[in-house]
Every structure is written in C-alpha cells, then in structure tokens.
Amino acid sequence: GQNIDQPTEMTATEGAIVQINCTYQTSGFNGLFWYQQHAGEAPTFLSYNVLDGLEEKGRFSSFLSRSKGYSYLLLKELQMKDSASYLCAVKGAGSYQLTFGKGTKLSVIP
Amino acid sequence: DTEVTQTPKHLVMGMTNKKSLKCEQHMGHRAMYWYKQKAKKPPELMFVYSYEKLSINESVPSRFSPECPNSSLLNLHLHALQPEDSALYLCASSPPPGEVSNQPQHFGDGTRLSIL
C-alpha cells in the first residue's frame, strides 16, 4: 500500500519562496508527481521525479530523495494566482494507479 | 485548454434518473481513468481502462457503469445514485505503463454532479 503525507495548509507572501514537503511510504515506486488544483477545477500536472535530485521548470522546482521517501515542491516569486491546492501523487511500480496525498492548500497573501 | 474534454460540466439529477458522463481525448493515450473527488479531498480512483478493456475497478458500486466505446472515448453511466454520490467526477488519460514510462495523467475539467 501507499501512505503519503503533506501539510494541510500553508500561507506565504506574494513574491516570496515556499516549499511544500511530501513524504511517502510505498510498496513500489515508479515516480512522484506534483499537481496544482484550483478550487472547482481539474488537477493540472506540474512536474514529476523518478530519479533523485532536483527538476526545475520555470518558477517551479521539484526534488526527490528515494532513500528518504521525501519530495518537495518549491515555488519561487509567488503570485496571487498560485493560491491553490498542491497534490503530491505517487505511482507504484508498473502500476496505472496514482495514489494522491490529501493536498496542501496554499494561500498567497499580498 | 485541457486536452481531455468532459461533458457536461454540471449535472443535477434525481435518484431515479439515468444519465451519462462523457470523456474524450485525442492524445493517442490508451489508458483512461475515472476519478471521484469530494470537496477538500484528493481524487479517488474508480476505474481504469487500458486498450479499451477494464483493467481496474476499485470496488465501485454497480450504480456506476463505465464504458469505453473506442480508444478516444470513455463514458460513465449513472443510475439510481445516492446523495452521497454528489462530487466532482474527473476523467484522465495517459499512455499505459508499459508503453511510455513515467508519463503523467492528464485530467479533464470534470463534471460536477449533484444528486437531489
């Protein structure tokens, strides 16, 4: 089975940097995905990591340590539109199934 | 704009009604998914189709009946639903695991379903 843990809520200031952590315990691992979801909308793919290290994509970066079962999503130069829920999701080995964490609701304040 | 299209965007139905949710993708993906998402909760997997065959049914009640007419379309037929079935229903697609590794699932905008 999979167990994924991430903070429920975070607040950060416009223009700042925020790091959203995700820890996981899985019986198999074939990648970790980050999705952004605005209220009432579909999840939007942000990034994935399958090997250890940092993946950078514009203002968003994601890091993975497989030995520690740990990932984080880093958002730089925060904008008001970044206020959303951020979902960490783990794919099991050879599996169709994505197991989602409960999501972190990020509020960006002026 | 999403590459996975879901219709309708909103649906209100009574407990005795029969309705269908539709999903279409033209990315050539051969795996398609139905998820259910309640407010402030993560998406929960319901069904997975791979190469138009049902691969996974996560113990979903029979009042939900999926159908995959072809590689681009996925339907979810609804009958005799309960008020607790009110939720956002999301469709997603991806290449199957064996085809291309580590490709993300792409989600449609969802159908917001309310059961009266």
Side-chain angles (χ1 to χ4, degrees), chain A residues 30 35 37 42 45 48 96-97 101, chain B residues 37 42 50 58 97 102 105 108:
Chain A
N30 197 23
Y35 285 84
Q37 187 174 27
F45 168 71
Y48 78 84
Y96 292 96
Q97 284 146 300
Chain B
Q37 187 175 24
S50 180
E58 291 285 6
N102 304 318
Q105 294 180 17

Side-chain angles (χ1 to χ4, degrees), chain B:
Chain B
D1 287 338
T2 181
E3 296 176 37
V4 178
T5 304
Q6 289 187 244
T7 56
K9 292 193 184 307
H10 301 275
L11 178 62
V12 179
M13 58 187 285
M15 288 189 282
T16 58
N17 292 157
K18 284 186 182 181
K19 295 286 184 184
S20 297
L21 309 185
K22 297 186 182 300
C23 176
E24 187 170 5
Q25 58 90 14
H26 293 288
M27 294 180 282
H29 291 165
R30 302 304 295 275
M32 296 185 76
Y33 311 77
W34 279 115
Y35 287 85
K36 173 182 177 180
Q37 187 175 24
K38 302 283 275 186
K40 300 183 181 180
K41 300 286 188 185
E44 295 177 4
L45 184 67
M46 299 174 71
F47 302 104
V48 180
Y49 271 81
S50 180
Y51 297 97
E52 295 86 70
K53 288 186 173 26
L54 184 63
S55 295
I56 295 171
N57 176 342
E58 291 285 6
S59 303
V60 180
S62 60
R63 57 186 185 268
F64 295 92
S65 175
E67 178 198 18
C68 191
N70 60 53
S71 59
S72 301
L73 294 174
L74 184 67
N75 298 323
L76 186 63
H77 302 299
L78 313 173
H79 175 53
L81 295 194
Q82 304 297 310
E84 61 264 28
D85 297 323
S86 297
L88 180 68
Y89 287 84
L90 293 163
C91 174
S93 72
S94 75
E99 196 173 282
V100 182
S101 62
N102 304 318
Q103 290 298 303
Q105 294 180 17
H106 293 267
F107 286 84
D109 286 336
T111 294
R112 188 158 296 284
L113 177 66
S114 298
I115 307 300
L116 302 178

Side-chain angles (χ1 to χ4, degrees), chain A:
Chain A
Q2 323 271 40
N3 185 39
I4 301 170
D5 195 32
Q6 51 182 130
T8 305
E9 292 186 42
M10 297 182 72
T11 300
T13 306
E14 192 176 12
I17 298 173
V18 71
Q19 177 174 311
I20 302 174
N21 295 326
C22 172
T23 57
Y24 64 90
Q25 296 161 334
T26 63
S27 54
F29 180 83
N30 197 23
L32 187 144
F33 297 79
W34 284 96
Y35 285 84
Q36 179 192 61
Q37 187 174 27
H38 286 98
E41 298 182 12
T44 304
F45 168 71
L46 290 178
S47 70
Y48 78 84
N49 297 71
V50 62
L51 299 175
D52 291 352
L54 188 68
E55 294 284 340
E56 296 187 78
K57 216 176 185 183
R59 294 190 299 115
F60 297 85
S61 303
S62 58
F63 172 82
L64 176 68
S65 169
R66 288 172 296 170
S67 61
K68 295 181 180 176
Y70 167 69
S71 173
Y72 67 73
L73 180 70
L74 194 71
L75 293 79
K76 303 175 189 174
E77 301 169 15
L78 280 173
Q79 302 175 8
M80 299 300 289
K81 67 178 182 180
D82 297 329
S83 293
S85 285
Y86 291 86
L87 298 161
C88 171
V90 173
K91 192 174 181 187
S95 169
Y96 292 96
Q97 284 146 300
L98 271 185
T99 301
F100 286 87
K102 289 185 166 59
T104 299
K105 184 179 177 183
L106 174 66
S107 298
V108 179
I109 58 176

